[in-house]
Amino acid sequence: TALVKSKNTAAVQIAERLGMSNIDHYFTKYFFPNEQEKKSRFRPDLSVALGSLEISPLEMATAFSGFVNQGTV
């Protein structure tokens, strides 16, 4: 409900509970499998919960393909 109402604090609180190591893991798996690319684009801070990273439509579509492929991108 909070996310539907654009309550950004809820997204940040969820990110805090997940921990940056878990967030880092999933960003690596779904967006940045190349370590060099990840180092140049990923910032390990809570702003990622608010959508602060630049992700292309193709990268987003590729990541979402994991939902229908049992987590495989």
Side-chain angles (χ1 to χ4, degrees):
T1 301
L3 295 178
V4 169
K5 294 181 178 185
S6 295
K7 304 288 184 184
N8 291 339
T9 56
V12 174
Q13 288 171 2
I14 291 168
E16 279 184 310
R17 289 182 186 172
L18 286 172
M20 284 312 301
S21 62
N22 282 324
I23 293 170
D24 180 272
H25 168 76
Y26 286 107
F27 267 89
T28 299
K29 181 176 181 178
Y30 292 109
F31 293 108
F32 305 121
N34 178 299
E35 188 64 30
Q36 199 62 20
E37 181 75 11
K38 183 177 125 190
K39 282 184 181 182
S40 70
R41 295 178 58 197
F42 180 73
R43 289 183 314 279
D45 61 47
L46 294 175
S47 70
V48 299
L50 303 174
S52 66
L53 296 181
E54 295 177 15
I55 303 291
S56 75
L58 178 59
E59 289 171 320
M60 189 61 79
T62 301
F64 271 83
S65 73
F67 289 117
V68 296
N69 293 317
Q70 287 79 42
T72 301
V73 176

